[in-house]
Amino acid sequence: MKGETEGEGEAPGDLEASLLDASRIEDDVQEEEPTAASQAMSAALGHDLTPSQTRFLLTGSFIDILTNISVSFIFPFLPTMLEDAGAGPYQRGLIFAALPFGVLLVSPLIPPFLWRVGTKAVLVSSLTLITACLCLATYAGPTRGGTKLTDRALTRCVTIWACSRLFMGFAVAGTGVTVLCLMTRHLPRRSHVFANGVLESAIGVGYMIGPAFGGWLFELFRWSEVPLIVNATATAMLVPFVANMRLDEVEDDEEEGADGNAAGQEGGDDKRGTVGMTMRLFARPRFFAAILVLLAVSISFGVFPSTLPPHLQRTLKIGEGSVGSVYAGIAALYAFFTPFVGPLAENGGMTNPLGAMAVFGASLMAVAHLCFGPSPLLPMRFDGPRDWRLWAVDIIGGGVCYGVGSAFGFVPLLPLMQAAVVDMGPKYLEMTAGVSNGVYYFGELVGQLFGAQIVSVLGFPWASTAFGVMLVGSCALFGLVRLVVKPPATVVATLEAERVEYEELLLSRSETPNLEDTEGDNR
């Protein structure tokens, strides 16, 4: 805006409008007389959410669950199938890297696309594309039996799987970024950490169900088409449900009011374009430091799908179903702990606990990498798959540290990025969701594309150790930046104004008499 320095704009006014709009929405909900069920849902989730906001959060969580089941159900059986069919490390890495590459390409473009066509169109088309990709993969093979494929058949198999995963990546970007943008748009910013934890818990549930579901179905039928068909059917059944949601109508109502996330406010009229807005985000050192931790965490996530199942099968002599159960256990821990990150981090609107949690979580993931090897740096030697100490270190130690650490290491990062640029306006908060999703899948792309080659050169124990060192290094750099670089005065002022106005809102509510009690007294 003319006559104002960058980032100073109308941040306090935006916050006031957001809080007033939250009160307006609550008044509307009271006029509609919400049912006891919707009130119970809001009370169960808590966090000062209206019933409509609670229903949206649960719907977004269900979409994330089903999407991530579609992404992860192939993890237990596809790497081994491809290896038995004659696919080398590069070909296996290409297939697994295709999905994060697709998400990386599309994610930064989703927020501007949402502003033009609406959220419902993006969600419906993305779920339809996921269904089509799962159907396409049924033609890929390889055939059951563990026989080597001819060069022509192997090329066909790898090509179909890679194309299926690439286009599924486009669709996953559509669902994931849209849900995050809706959270940013419709929920008060004080609840973003909590809501992000709930959504990440849903992703963990998807990663818990997917590998267990896919691994046991494959082990039961020895036919990869069965889990593909079942998954495609479930995704197709979700499309009509999403098509009947009132997402775009809700957005129109909010834009007519005084919502702080409306398009006409500072950040909504930004003419820099997608690239310019992204560069402005990266110019903030604290934002960039959080991005580096996110990149390290996502590389760690990306390494395991193509390398951990064969390693566990060789060292522990377990089948695909058991490998899927290991994934399910890690994802269950992730899903259990993620909802607690928000309540634990809340401290009067300050974001410092989030930084400490991110460092703690990423460091715990580094410990898990040492256990999964097990790392040669550990002062222990094992006597093969029957040694209970190997199971304790590899499965229990590695699994518990990774499940708990990934929850605390990943969930705080998006709120930390948004807090670093909160003074730039609501459109930048939505752009942050797209950029963070793209960076996450870029890390997965790197991990899945090069993880198998690194393991084939170094061996799994040393490769896992190297990735653990990478996590520790990113945490050290992140902590150094937060100690040396102070946030801009506009960010501090915006966060403080948000905290003060929220306290005033709570105080005004506590002083408002109960209307039902007043009516009873008048009688």
Side-chain angles (χ1 to χ4, degrees):
M1 300 179 64
K2 294 181 180 180
E4 296 174 348
T5 58
E6 182 184 33
E8 292 179 351
E10 301 173 355
D14 292 349
L15 293 168
E16 182 178 357
S18 179
L19 292 169
L20 291 174
D21 187 67
S23 302
R24 178 181 62 80
I25 294 174
E26 290 182 3
D27 293 339
D28 293 342
V29 172
Q30 290 175 355
E31 292 174 3
E32 294 173 1
E33 296 184 358
T35 63
S38 64
Q39 289 178 327
M41 284 193 300
S42 296
L45 284 179
H47 241 261
D48 199 31
L49 299 181
T50 67
S52 60
Q53 291 169 341
T54 303
R55 286 193 296 270
F56 155 71
L57 188 57
L58 293 177
T59 302
S61 299
F62 186 71
I63 292 174
D64 278 347
I65 289 173
L66 195 56
T67 300
N68 286 278
I69 289 175
S70 303
V71 170
S72 63
F73 79 100
I74 65 169
F75 290 169
F77 61 85
L78 187 60
T80 306
M81 281 182 62
L82 293 170
E83 190 173 10
D84 293 340
Y90 175 77
Q91 292 168 312
R92 299 197 303 272
L94 177 65
I95 291 174
F96 279 91
L99 187 142
F101 180 68
V103 180
L104 168 66
L105 287 179
V106 175
S107 286
L109 305 177
I110 294 297
F113 196 61
L114 290 175
W115 304 334
R116 289 174 173 82
V117 303
T119 54
K120 184 186 295 185
V122 175
L123 284 176
V124 170
S125 59
S126 298
L127 291 171
T128 303
L129 183 56
I130 290 176
T131 304
C133 291
L134 292 170
C135 294
L136 174 63
T138 60
Y139 294 95
T143 57
R144 52 185 171 176
T147 57
K148 296 284 185 180
L149 297 179
T150 63
D151 291 343
R152 182 175 180 180
L154 183 61
T155 301
R156 174 182 177 275
C157 171
V158 171
T159 301
I160 293 178
W161 270 113
C163 291
S164 172
R165 300 291 287 180
L166 175 66
F167 285 98
M168 186 180 288
F170 297 161
V172 169
T175 57
V177 176
T178 300
V179 169
L180 288 176
C181 287
L182 285 172
M183 177 193 74
T184 300
R185 192 175 300 178
H186 295 300
L187 271 65
R189 212 187 71 80
R190 60 182 176 271
S191 297
H192 283 184
V193 181
F194 169 78
N196 194 43
V198 172
L199 294 176
E200 288 301 323
S201 179
I203 292 173
V205 171
Y207 271 89
M208 176 180 65
I209 297 174
F213 164 79
W216 287 111
L217 273 181
F218 179 80
E219 193 164 321
L220 181 62
F221 294 98
R222 306 303 300 179
W223 193 31
S224 62
E225 286 83 350
V226 172
L228 285 165
I229 293 171
V230 173
N231 201 349
T233 303
T235 307
M237 292 173 63
L238 184 61
V239 172
F241 172 75
V242 174
N244 289 318
M245 292 172 62
R246 297 177 56 192
L247 294 175
D248 295 317
E249 289 84 350
V250 172
E251 292 164 24
D252 293 340
D253 293 341
E254 290 184 357
E255 287 177 359
E256 292 174 2
D259 188 4
N261 292 342
Q265 297 184 12
E266 201 267 324
D269 293 333
D270 200 295
K271 303 301 182 182
R272 292 176 176 84
T274 302
V275 175
M277 294 175 72
T278 303
M279 291 300 101
R280 189 183 176 198
L281 293 175
F282 276 89
R284 290 283 174 92
R286 288 191 162 210
F287 180 92
F288 186 69
I291 283 286
L292 291 180
V293 178
L294 175 62
L295 183 61
V297 169
S298 59
I299 289 174
S300 171
F301 286 162
V303 165
F304 284 138
S306 61
T307 60
L308 186 60
H311 169 72
L312 293 178
Q313 289 175 328
R314 282 193 298 267
T315 57
L316 301 179
K317 307 299 181 185
I318 58 178
E320 291 86 352
S322 299
V323 173
S325 298
V326 173
Y327 270 101
I330 296 173
L333 289 170
Y334 180 83
F336 178 79
F337 279 97
T338 46
F340 297 104
V341 174
L344 288 174
E346 288 175 355
N347 185 20
M350 300 299 291
T351 58
N352 287 335
L354 290 176
M357 284 184 175
V359 171
F360 166 75
S363 301
L364 205 57
M365 291 174 64
V367 174
H369 273 278
L370 300 181
C371 294
F372 275 133
S375 172
L377 301 180
L378 295 178
M380 300 176 67
R381 295 297 177 264
F382 305 98
D383 298 327
R386 294 187 178 181
D387 190 339
W388 67 270
R389 296 176 305 161
L390 177 61
W391 287 76
V393 172
D394 211 345
I395 301 299
I396 299 177
V400 170
C401 288
Y402 204 82
V404 177
S406 56
F408 285 94
F410 183 71
V411 173
L413 293 176
L414 177 59
L416 280 170
M417 295 176 210
Q418 291 181 328
V421 297
V422 68
D423 58 323
M424 291 184 180
K427 285 294 178 83
Y428 279 90
L429 298 183
E430 294 189 16
M431 280 298 298
T432 300
V435 170
S436 65
N437 205 56
V439 170
Y440 169 79
Y441 279 99
F442 174 72
E444 276 212 355
L445 169 67
V446 173
Q448 294 187 7
L449 188 60
F450 299 107
Q453 287 91 322
I454 294 174
V455 169
S456 64
V457 174
L458 300 179
F460 190 89
W462 278 112
S464 186
T465 303
F467 290 120
V469 173
M470 172 196 67
L471 285 165
V472 173
S474 68
C475 289
L477 184 59
F478 173 78
L480 180 63
V481 170
R482 289 183 68 83
L483 287 174
V484 174
V485 181
K486 300 302 180 183
T490 51
V491 170
V492 176
T494 304
L495 293 175
E496 180 64 17
E498 183 181 65
R499 183 186 66 81
V500 170
E501 294 196 21
Y502 179 49
E503 290 180 352
E504 291 176 353
L505 179 64
L506 293 179
L507 182 61
S508 65
R509 288 177 181 174
S510 64
E511 294 175 350
T512 302
N514 191 309
L515 297 179
E516 294 181 359
D517 294 342
T518 304
E519 292 176 359
D521 294 339
N522 293 334
R523 292 174 185 172

